[in-house]
Amino acid sequence: MATTEDVVAFLGPKASYTHQATLTRFPDSKYTVKPQTTIEDIFAAVQNGTASHGVVPFENSSNGSVVFTLDLFADLNGRYPDILVCGEVYLPVHHCLLGQATPTKVMPTPNQPRVRPQHDIKHIKQLYSHPQAWGQCKIFLSAYLKGVERQDVSSTSKAAELVAHDTKGTCAAISSKIAADLNGLDVLAEGIEDNEGNTTRFFVIRRRDALFDGTNAQVGEGTREEHCKTLVSFTVDHGAPGALADCLATFKRHDLNLTSINTRPSGEAAWHYVFFVELVGRKLPDGEGGAVNDALLELTTVAKGWRWLGSWVDELRA
Amino acid sequence: MATTEDVVAFLGPKASYTHQATLTRFPDSKYTVKPQTTIEDIFAAVQNGTASHGVVPFENSSNGSVVFTLDLFADLNGRYPDILVCGEVYLPVHHCLLGQATPTKVMPTPNQPRVRPQHDIKHIKQLYSHPQAWGQCKIFLSAYLKGVERQDVSSTSKAAELVAHDTKGTCAAISSKIAADLNGLDVLAEGIEDNEGNTTRFFVIRRRDALFDGTNAQVGEGTREEHCKTLVSFTVDHGAPGALADCLATFKRHDLNLTSINTRPSGEAAWHYVFFVELVGRKLPDGEGGAVNDALLELTTVAKGWRWLGSWVDELRA
């Protein structure tokens, strides 16, 4: 029987890209993977301990950051104080147009998109998908489905589920091939993403553990610094000139290589921000020193507030 | 007769928030304001000279950056090389639910949202708005219109226009009060944004002028440095450790106060980014020195590429 130690929350329903990312790290022979309706539900499940881990989409190579996830890490209402990133998964994302094929099979003759539909799609009157997917399939959609009504839903697999219940056969989903199989849908077109290398990066999250507090139990002792990454959020005193630069200089002083920076509204006042930096390196247990630990100590003197959001093994370099 | 010197492009149709922002800076007694369908159309009109200026939404106090606008400034395909920011407008945004009131006027009794509907809204089956608006009215929507189908359209005023043509009376738009008057719609609820201080910041863009190239003709000579802002984009060599930090250190060395940083996918390869920094100060004409000019000169040695995207008067401090 599964204890919560073995329960992993992901953005469902089954066959979502998050589900596929989850299975690469948490095979269902060993773990109970539990679908959730929203990304926030995943944070909540890990925070309240009903799941030991969660898997959340963080950024896409074409679309950039998933702002919903960033805002949950910013945690303006203090609901998820114990959430830490402890791993990442890169998943190539190849979208399909799923629906119900009609007997006619007329091939349109376009030139721009990378792929053409495998079936006639003139009968499609309504499209369902996750908002992120529209931005990843712009060229195909504007070539073949211009002006067709679009309906945002909570995940690409939810979109496939809804289309499977469409009795008129005029709805289609942008979703994965796996979702077609699971829901008994036809693949009307395959590989419809604009960018062949379209990849989504997911974070594995866990709850801060009282026993290991201040450490990062997920990164093995022997892992080299340059094969790890760390996420930190901070706020600055917007009245103090140079406050943001001072915070960034802290990382520079300890030779920490920043790989990305994000900015989100802080919620406390208009035009105040929460900054997120991702850097190469990892936090060691408190008292063991290390560049990340030293930089965070110094950050206390220049940032209004900051939070270590986890260290993990860099899957692109490890 | 209007010359292109007097033509200002904005995100239409009429009565959009961008239109309202445009009129505060370019009164229609003196300028010809021309509605465009997309933000990209505004960039194109200014680039090709059919408009002397454009007004584009840049960020919202609750939602953060408008990524469409950022991506147009990133200009991955080199279509808008001459676009510069030359001003900003802050516009308080108060959303309304617009539609056709039914004779019944039953008041629901909620507690959470800041406002309640002024009419029964049980007949509303479909909602139209710009994607940014959903995120600004979450509490009202989840209290009164949970599960109602949502249709993304290109602007809030376009949403009102579509709802005005709805013959069944079951559609509603999230749009402005001005759009209600213009389209003959009823205001079903007013001030439905989550955050009373909800404000959108717009950029006024112009085309780089050959005569003034290297200068910023829009910022008066006497304007104090600290009352100006500047936008710069840059890319880094992702293989070089510390490249991002080195670029940021350039601004710090010249005591330039960074007020915001944004990151977008660069499009050239997955996980390569374009960075945007906004800072206090302005670029002077070439050869006249100044901190921004000096920093940009140094940026050449550490960034892979960079672009000055304009300097303008800071409307919150000037």
Side-chain angles (χ1 to χ4, degrees):
Chain A
M1 210 186 72
T3 65
T4 56
E5 267 312 293
D6 308 313
V7 174
V8 183
F10 69 95
L11 184 66
K14 278 205 248 178
S16 64
Y17 294 108
T18 312
H19 189 201
Q20 295 170 43
T22 302
L23 293 178
T24 67
R25 185 64 54 90
F26 302 98
D28 55 5
S29 55
K30 291 191 187 162
Y31 295 89
T32 305
V33 298
K34 279 216 308 214
Q36 308 291 322
T37 308
T38 65
I39 300 174
E40 179 150 20
D41 293 338
I42 301 169
F43 272 68
V46 175
Q47 176 65 39
N48 69 27
T50 55
S52 65
H53 293 85
V55 178
V56 295
F58 185 69
E59 69 175 317
N60 173 271
S61 57
S62 325
N63 273 3
S65 303
V66 179
V67 295
F68 299 105
T69 305
L70 276 178
D71 287 345
L72 288 163
F73 279 117
D75 192 27
L76 305 178
N77 301 313
R79 289 188 192 139
Y80 312 112
D82 300 318
I83 298 296
L84 289 180
V85 181
C86 62
E88 65 182 5
V89 177
Y90 286 87
L91 185 84
V93 167
H94 301 298
H95 290 299
C96 296
L97 183 74
L98 309 183
Q100 297 168 36
T102 56
T104 37
K105 295 196 181 185
V106 183
M107 289 289 186
T109 52
N111 38 32
Q112 285 247 67
R114 294 193 311 104
V115 297
R116 55 175 66 186
Q118 291 146 24
H119 297 273
D120 182 9
I121 55 172
K122 290 213 181 70
H123 62 296
I124 301 303
K125 299 282 175 268
Q126 197 170 35
L127 290 172
Y128 289 82
S129 200
H130 188 272
Q132 287 273 329
W134 310 125
Q136 293 167 25
C137 306
K138 277 185 227 164
I139 301 170
F140 182 90
L141 291 174
S142 93
Y144 294 110
L145 294 160
K146 207 176 171 78
V148 171
E149 189 185 318
R150 295 178 190 179
Q151 179 77 29
D152 288 349
V153 293
S154 56
S155 70
T156 55
S157 53
K158 182 73 191 172
E161 207 178 88
L162 287 168
V163 169
H165 290 103
D166 160 37
T167 50
K168 286 179 291 185
T170 58
C171 293
I174 296 180
S175 191
S176 67
K177 208 170 176 177
I178 297 179
D181 296 342
L182 189 78
N183 292 284
L185 289 171
D186 297 315
V187 175
L188 304 180
E190 191 173 344
I192 63 170
E193 64 280 1
D194 295 344
N195 202 317
E196 217 172 337
N198 191 38
T199 302
T200 298
R201 181 183 180 214
F202 296 85
F203 275 162
V204 180
I205 57 172
R206 68 172 178 93
R207 192 183 158 138
R208 190 186 300 267
D209 187 320
L211 280 177
F212 293 95
D213 207 7
T215 78
N216 183 355
Q218 306 294 312
V219 179
E221 286 296 312
T223 314
R224 292 170 62 178
E225 286 284 314
E226 64 268 36
H227 292 167
C228 294
K229 294 192 97 176
T230 291
L231 184 67
V232 175
S233 67
F234 61 86
T235 52
V236 302
D237 179 351
H238 284 264
L244 172 56
D246 288 343
C247 290
L248 296 170
T250 304
F251 300 108
K252 163 98 180 148
R253 213 159 26 240
H254 292 276
D255 285 326
L256 293 166
N257 184 15
L258 303 186
T259 54
S260 133
I261 301 189
N262 278 288
T263 308
R264 291 292 300 155
S266 81
E268 47 167 23
W271 324 118
H272 285 207
Y273 303 102
V274 180
F275 300 99
F276 293 88
V277 296
E278 215 180 310
L279 50 92
V280 178
R282 65 167 170 139
K283 186 176 174 300
L284 298 177
D286 288 342
E288 288 189 21
V292 174
N293 301 48
D294 292 345
L296 290 176
L297 262 179
E298 280 183 39
L299 197 56
T300 309
T301 62
V302 285
K304 197 169 150 201
W306 62 266
R307 196 171 142 198
W308 170 64
L309 287 165
S311 301
W312 64 93
V313 174
D314 180 346
E315 294 297 331
L316 288 185
R317 304 191 64 189
Chain B
M1 211 183 72
T3 66
T4 57
E5 267 311 294
D6 307 313
V7 174
V8 183
F10 70 93
L11 184 65
K14 278 204 250 177
S16 64
Y17 294 109
T18 311
H19 188 201
Q20 295 171 41
T22 303
L23 293 178
T24 66
R25 184 64 55 89
F26 301 98
D28 54 5
S29 55
K30 289 190 187 166
Y31 296 88
T32 305
V33 298
K34 278 214 311 210
Q36 308 291 320
T37 309
T38 66
I39 299 175
E40 180 151 19
D41 294 339
I42 301 169
F43 273 68
V46 175
Q47 177 66 38
N48 69 29
T50 56
S52 64
H53 292 85
V55 178
V56 295
F58 185 69
E59 69 176 317
N60 173 272
S61 57
S62 326
N63 272 4
S65 302
V66 178
V67 296
F68 298 104
T69 304
L70 277 178
D71 286 346
L72 288 164
F73 279 118
D75 192 28
L76 305 177
N77 300 312
R79 289 190 192 137
Y80 311 113
D82 300 317
I83 298 295
L84 290 180
V85 182
C86 62
E88 66 182 5
V89 177
Y90 287 87
L91 185 83
V93 167
H94 301 298
H95 290 299
C96 296
L97 182 74
L98 309 183
Q100 296 167 35
T102 56
T104 36
K105 296 197 182 187
V106 183
M107 289 288 186
T109 52
N111 36 32
Q112 286 248 64
R114 295 195 307 105
V115 296
R116 55 175 65 184
Q118 290 147 22
H119 298 272
D120 184 10
I121 56 171
K122 287 212 184 69
H123 63 296
I124 300 303
K125 298 284 176 267
Q126 197 170 32
L127 288 173
Y128 289 81
S129 201
H130 188 272
Q132 288 272 330
W134 310 126
Q136 293 166 24
C137 306
K138 279 186 224 163
I139 301 169
F140 181 89
L141 290 174
S142 95
Y144 294 111
L145 293 160
K146 206 176 171 78
V148 171
E149 190 185 319
R150 294 178 192 179
Q151 181 76 29
D152 288 349
V153 292
S154 56
S155 70
T156 54
S157 52
K158 181 75 191 170
E161 206 178 89
L162 288 167
V163 169
H165 290 103
D166 161 36
T167 51
K168 285 180 292 186
T170 58
C171 294
I174 296 179
S175 192
S176 66
K177 207 169 176 180
I178 296 180
D181 296 340
L182 190 76
N183 291 284
L185 289 170
D186 296 315
V187 175
L188 304 179
E190 191 174 344
I192 63 171
E193 64 279 1
D194 296 345
N195 200 316
E196 217 171 339
N198 191 38
T199 302
T200 298
R201 180 183 179 214
F202 296 85
F203 275 164
V204 180
I205 57 172
R206 66 171 178 96
R207 191 181 160 143
R208 190 187 301 269
D209 189 320
L211 281 177
F212 294 96
D213 208 8
T215 77
N216 184 354
Q218 307 295 314
V219 179
E221 286 298 310
T223 314
R224 292 170 64 178
E225 287 285 313
E226 65 266 36
H227 291 166
C228 294
K229 296 192 96 176
T230 291
L231 184 68
V232 174
S233 68
F234 60 88
T235 52
V236 302
D237 179 352
H238 283 267
L244 172 56
D246 288 342
C247 290
L248 296 171
T250 303
F251 300 109
K252 163 99 179 146
R253 212 156 31 238
H254 292 278
D255 286 326
L256 292 166
N257 184 16
L258 302 187
T259 52
S260 134
I261 302 190
N262 277 288
T263 307
R264 291 293 300 154
S266 81
E268 48 167 23
W271 324 119
H272 284 206
Y273 304 102
V274 180
F275 300 98
F276 293 88
V277 294
E278 214 180 310
L279 50 91
V280 178
R282 64 167 169 139
K283 186 175 173 301
L284 298 178
D286 288 342
E288 288 190 22
V292 173
N293 300 49
D294 292 346
L296 291 176
L297 261 178
E298 279 182 42
L299 196 57
T300 309
T301 64
V302 286
K304 197 168 150 204
W306 62 266
R307 196 172 143 198
W308 170 63
L309 288 165
S311 301
W312 64 92
V313 174
D314 180 345
E315 294 297 332
L316 288 185
R317 304 190 65 190

